[in-house]
Amino acid sequence: MKFTIITIFFSLFLLDFGFAQQGDLDISRFGGKPNTNIGQAFLSAWTQACASPTAVKIVIPAGTYQMGAVDVKGPCKAPIEVQVDGTIQAPANPTDLKAAHQWFVVQYVNSFTLSGKGVFDGQGATAWKQNDCTTNKDCKMLCMNFGFNFLNNSIVRDITSKDSKNFHVNVLGCNNFTFDGFKVSAPKDSPNTDGIHIGRSTDVKILNTNIATGDDCVSLGDGCKNITVQNVNCGPGHGISVGSLGKYDSEEPVAGFLVKNCTLNGTDNGVRIKTWPNTPGAITITDMHFEDLTMNNVTNPIIIDQEYCPWNQCSKQNPSKIKISKVSFKNIKGTSGSQEGVVLVCSSGVPCEGVEMADIDLTFNGAAATAKCANVKPTITGKAPTCAA
């Protein structure tokens, strides 16, 4: 009997020790091999990692893999890292993703890490040809590369997102979430391929990141608080944007946005805040700060646009109800692709308040760029273009 008890105890100890020592879970242990679909293998690895009482790393080594839409969830018992050093390809045909809104989704996890030299290739070229959103307001939503939903204390490090069919990344309901050394790559003419879109999240940081795409490099939706974009290279693309906001009456306020030490190259816009006119939304946008930025041939370097109406699919009959306040543009230099390097068009219903411009040095064809302003009286410090109505 004594021997049996000791044997059972020792077996249980080895089982616990095995969990503690399982450390790295190579995808090959679950049947995931190069040039095959690793979707089921990844789900199996995730299930084991999520059940482990100690931290686990799932490893996808160098090589080329295929994967359909994957959606993994917590809560998990301990931190999980997914290290990708290979290239993972999505189906090129959008219908093969079976109406998934996002290709690789991670939800409801604390302490999640996605790392490695790897590439998530959305193979979006076929899908882009099907995008008719410029003419059809009820256009079909194509699949995004990443969905990170309700994650806490998490990080995406060094991974590349390539040729997404739609947004590259959608962040929703996250807290203390960081992108560091992340890369986004898509052609200038790829439609709706926003780099990183953030909604209803707090303390999100985008650091040391290169974003080249066909739409906004970074865009903020409603409900965002304390978002930082720092040391980011943006271009091609549509710039770094807050909004568009105000289209719906269920939106939440936006507060606390810092864009610092960024370079924008050949983008359609630089930094902008955009809200819809003639719509029900009546939230506030406050504490927006843009500083230490370089613009290289940016068509519209600095913009507040409260008459945002893309493709003329709306009316400007009534002014925007969004109140914008405490906005600063400081130490912004470089070249503008248009004469009006600064355009601040605020709402006639709720004019902007607390707007500052300091040390703005933008040139157009070798001469100083000008500023156009409406429903705002910015405070100007140092060199900056004077507002014209």
PDB file of all heavy atoms in Angstrom, residues 8 28 78 105 126 183 185 198 205 251 264 273 289 297 300 319:
ATOM      1  N   ILE A   8       1.638   6.685  -6.881  1.00  0.00           N
ATOM      2  CA  ILE A   8       0.614   7.631  -7.341  1.00  0.00           C
ATOM      3  C   ILE A   8       1.080   9.060  -7.153  1.00  0.00           C
ATOM      4  O   ILE A   8       0.932   9.910  -8.025  1.00  0.00           O
ATOM      5  CB  ILE A   8      -0.707   7.381  -6.579  1.00  0.00           C
ATOM      6  CG1 ILE A   8      -1.282   6.019  -6.985  1.00  0.00           C
ATOM      7  CG2 ILE A   8      -1.713   8.483  -6.859  1.00  0.00           C
ATOM      8  CD1 ILE A   8      -2.466   5.602  -6.143  1.00  0.00           C
ATOM      9  N   SER A  28       4.318  21.575 -34.830  1.00  0.00           N
ATOM     10  CA  SER A  28       4.486  20.256 -35.449  1.00  0.00           C
ATOM     11  C   SER A  28       4.004  19.137 -34.528  1.00  0.00           C
ATOM     12  O   SER A  28       3.627  18.061 -34.999  1.00  0.00           O
ATOM     13  CB  SER A  28       5.949  20.026 -35.840  1.00  0.00           C
ATOM     14  OG  SER A  28       6.778  20.030 -34.686  1.00  0.00           O
ATOM     15  N   ALA A  78      -2.899  30.925 -17.458  1.00  0.00           N
ATOM     16  CA  ALA A  78      -1.587  31.572 -17.334  1.00  0.00           C
ATOM     17  C   ALA A  78      -1.287  32.310 -18.634  1.00  0.00           C
ATOM     18  O   ALA A  78      -1.996  32.139 -19.637  1.00  0.00           O
ATOM     19  CB  ALA A  78      -0.515  30.512 -17.036  1.00  0.00           C
ATOM     20  N   VAL A 105      -8.256  35.790 -34.723  1.00  0.00           N
ATOM     21  CA  VAL A 105      -8.922  36.481 -33.620  1.00  0.00           C
ATOM     22  C   VAL A 105      -8.477  35.895 -32.289  1.00  0.00           C
ATOM     23  O   VAL A 105      -8.469  34.677 -32.093  1.00  0.00           O
ATOM     24  CB  VAL A 105     -10.454  36.359 -33.740  1.00  0.00           C
ATOM     25  CG1 VAL A 105     -11.141  37.109 -32.614  1.00  0.00           C
ATOM     26  CG2 VAL A 105     -10.928  36.877 -35.092  1.00  0.00           C
ATOM     27  N   THR A 126      -7.197  39.711 -54.568  1.00  0.00           N
ATOM     28  CA  THR A 126      -8.468  39.283 -55.172  1.00  0.00           C
ATOM     29  C   THR A 126      -9.644  40.008 -54.530  1.00  0.00           C
ATOM     30  O   THR A 126     -10.576  40.465 -55.212  1.00  0.00           O
ATOM     31  CB  THR A 126      -8.650  37.761 -55.018  1.00  0.00           C
ATOM     32  OG1 THR A 126      -7.593  37.092 -55.706  1.00  0.00           O
ATOM     33  CG2 THR A 126      -9.981  37.312 -55.591  1.00  0.00           C
ATOM     34  N   LYS A 183       4.783  45.701 -38.063  1.00  0.00           N
ATOM     35  CA  LYS A 183       4.899  46.195 -39.429  1.00  0.00           C
ATOM     36  C   LYS A 183       3.613  45.885 -40.200  1.00  0.00           C
ATOM     37  O   LYS A 183       3.058  44.794 -40.064  1.00  0.00           O
ATOM     38  CB  LYS A 183       6.100  45.552 -40.130  1.00  0.00           C
ATOM     39  CG  LYS A 183       7.444  46.020 -39.584  1.00  0.00           C
ATOM     40  CD  LYS A 183       8.609  45.271 -40.182  1.00  0.00           C
ATOM     41  CE  LYS A 183       8.852  43.933 -39.509  1.00  0.00           C
ATOM     42  NZ  LYS A 183       9.257  44.027 -38.107  1.00  0.00           N
ATOM     43  N   SER A 185       2.074  46.122 -44.200  1.00  0.00           N
ATOM     44  CA  SER A 185       2.492  46.292 -45.592  1.00  0.00           C
ATOM     45  C   SER A 185       1.337  45.976 -46.543  1.00  0.00           C
ATOM     46  O   SER A 185       0.808  44.863 -46.532  1.00  0.00           O
ATOM     47  CB  SER A 185       3.674  45.362 -45.900  1.00  0.00           C
ATOM     48  OG  SER A 185       4.021  45.411 -47.269  1.00  0.00           O
ATOM     49  N   ILE A 198      -8.553  51.305 -33.579  1.00  0.00           N
ATOM     50  CA  ILE A 198      -8.753  51.087 -32.142  1.00  0.00           C
ATOM     51  C   ILE A 198     -10.126  51.590 -31.749  1.00  0.00           C
ATOM     52  O   ILE A 198     -10.506  52.717 -32.099  1.00  0.00           O
ATOM     53  CB  ILE A 198      -7.676  51.818 -31.323  1.00  0.00           C
ATOM     54  CG1 ILE A 198      -6.271  51.426 -31.804  1.00  0.00           C
ATOM     55  CG2 ILE A 198      -7.823  51.506 -29.832  1.00  0.00           C
ATOM     56  CD1 ILE A 198      -5.177  52.306 -31.262  1.00  0.00           C
ATOM     57  N   LYS A 205      -0.738  51.443 -26.858  1.00  0.00           N
ATOM     58  CA  LYS A 205       0.470  52.102 -27.353  1.00  0.00           C
ATOM     59  C   LYS A 205       0.890  51.457 -28.666  1.00  0.00           C
ATOM     60  O   LYS A 205       0.951  50.227 -28.784  1.00  0.00           O
ATOM     61  CB  LYS A 205       1.600  51.983 -26.334  1.00  0.00           C
ATOM     62  CG  LYS A 205       1.321  52.664 -25.007  1.00  0.00           C
ATOM     63  CD  LYS A 205       2.467  52.446 -24.026  1.00  0.00           C
ATOM     64  CE  LYS A 205       2.204  53.149 -22.704  1.00  0.00           C
ATOM     65  NZ  LYS A 205       1.026  52.577 -21.996  1.00  0.00           N
ATOM     66  N   GLU A 251     -22.385  56.294 -29.755  1.00  0.00           N
ATOM     67  CA  GLU A 251     -20.940  56.406 -29.602  1.00  0.00           C
ATOM     68  C   GLU A 251     -20.545  56.950 -28.227  1.00  0.00           C
ATOM     69  O   GLU A 251     -21.332  57.632 -27.562  1.00  0.00           O
ATOM     70  CB  GLU A 251     -20.368  57.297 -30.710  1.00  0.00           C
ATOM     71  CG  GLU A 251     -20.536  56.695 -32.092  1.00  0.00           C
ATOM     72  CD  GLU A 251     -20.002  57.600 -33.190  1.00  0.00           C
ATOM     73  OE1 GLU A 251     -19.457  58.685 -32.879  1.00  0.00           O
ATOM     74  OE2 GLU A 251     -20.139  57.229 -34.376  1.00  0.00           O
ATOM     75  N   LEU A 264       5.565  61.061 -41.600  1.00  0.00           N
ATOM     76  CA  LEU A 264       4.551  60.699 -42.580  1.00  0.00           C
ATOM     77  C   LEU A 264       5.098  60.997 -43.964  1.00  0.00           C
ATOM     78  O   LEU A 264       5.514  62.131 -44.245  1.00  0.00           O
ATOM     79  CB  LEU A 264       3.248  61.450 -42.316  1.00  0.00           C
ATOM     80  CG  LEU A 264       2.586  61.068 -40.979  1.00  0.00           C
ATOM     81  CD1 LEU A 264       2.917  62.095 -39.897  1.00  0.00           C
ATOM     82  CD2 LEU A 264       1.079  60.918 -41.126  1.00  0.00           C
ATOM     83  N   ILE A 273      -8.592  65.049 -37.368  1.00  0.00           N
ATOM     84  CA  ILE A 273      -9.771  64.696 -36.585  1.00  0.00           C
ATOM     85  C   ILE A 273     -10.960  64.907 -37.512  1.00  0.00           C
ATOM     86  O   ILE A 273     -11.108  65.991 -38.099  1.00  0.00           O
ATOM     87  CB  ILE A 273      -9.902  65.579 -35.331  1.00  0.00           C
ATOM     88  CG1 ILE A 273      -8.652  65.457 -34.450  1.00  0.00           C
ATOM     89  CG2 ILE A 273     -11.153  65.208 -34.543  1.00  0.00           C
ATOM     90  CD1 ILE A 273      -8.609  66.464 -33.302  1.00  0.00           C
ATOM     91  N   HIS A 289      -3.192  65.534 -28.811  1.00  0.00           N
ATOM     92  CA  HIS A 289      -1.905  66.224 -28.885  1.00  0.00           C
ATOM     93  C   HIS A 289      -1.016  65.588 -29.956  1.00  0.00           C
ATOM     94  O   HIS A 289      -0.744  64.385 -29.923  1.00  0.00           O
ATOM     95  CB  HIS A 289      -1.224  66.197 -27.520  1.00  0.00           C
ATOM     96  CG  HIS A 289      -2.074  66.787 -26.441  1.00  0.00           C
ATOM     97  ND1 HIS A 289      -2.353  68.133 -26.362  1.00  0.00           N
ATOM     98  CD2 HIS A 289      -2.763  66.200 -25.421  1.00  0.00           C
ATOM     99  CE1 HIS A 289      -3.156  68.360 -25.339  1.00  0.00           C
ATOM    100  NE2 HIS A 289      -3.428  67.200 -24.755  1.00  0.00           N
ATOM    101  N   ASN A 297       6.030  65.651 -48.170  1.00  0.00           N
ATOM    102  CA  ASN A 297       5.081  65.693 -49.285  1.00  0.00           C
ATOM    103  C   ASN A 297       3.733  65.084 -48.894  1.00  0.00           C
ATOM    104  O   ASN A 297       3.194  64.211 -49.587  1.00  0.00           O
ATOM    105  CB  ASN A 297       5.653  64.977 -50.516  1.00  0.00           C
ATOM    106  CG  ASN A 297       4.842  65.269 -51.761  1.00  0.00           C
ATOM    107  OD1 ASN A 297       4.251  66.344 -51.905  1.00  0.00           O
ATOM    108  ND2 ASN A 297       4.786  64.295 -52.669  1.00  0.00           N
ATOM    109  N   ASN A 300      -2.328  66.921 -47.131  1.00  0.00           N
ATOM    110  CA  ASN A 300      -3.019  67.759 -46.140  1.00  0.00           C
ATOM    111  C   ASN A 300      -2.416  67.473 -44.759  1.00  0.00           C
ATOM    112  O   ASN A 300      -2.924  66.612 -44.032  1.00  0.00           O
ATOM    113  CB  ASN A 300      -4.520  67.444 -46.137  1.00  0.00           C
ATOM    114  CG  ASN A 300      -5.154  67.630 -47.496  1.00  0.00           C
ATOM    115  OD1 ASN A 300      -5.285  68.738 -47.993  1.00  0.00           O
ATOM    116  ND2 ASN A 300      -5.549  66.519 -48.121  1.00  0.00           N
ATOM    117  N   PRO A 319     -24.922  71.134 -38.779  1.00  0.00           N
ATOM    118  CA  PRO A 319     -23.524  70.982 -38.368  1.00  0.00           C
ATOM    119  C   PRO A 319     -23.310  69.776 -37.460  1.00  0.00           C
ATOM    120  O   PRO A 319     -24.241  69.261 -36.840  1.00  0.00           O
ATOM    121  CB  PRO A 319     -23.239  72.291 -37.607  1.00  0.00           C
ATOM    122  CG  PRO A 319     -24.575  72.719 -37.090  1.00  0.00           C
ATOM    123  CD  PRO A 319     -25.570  72.301 -38.144  1.00  0.00           C
TER     124      PRO A 319
END
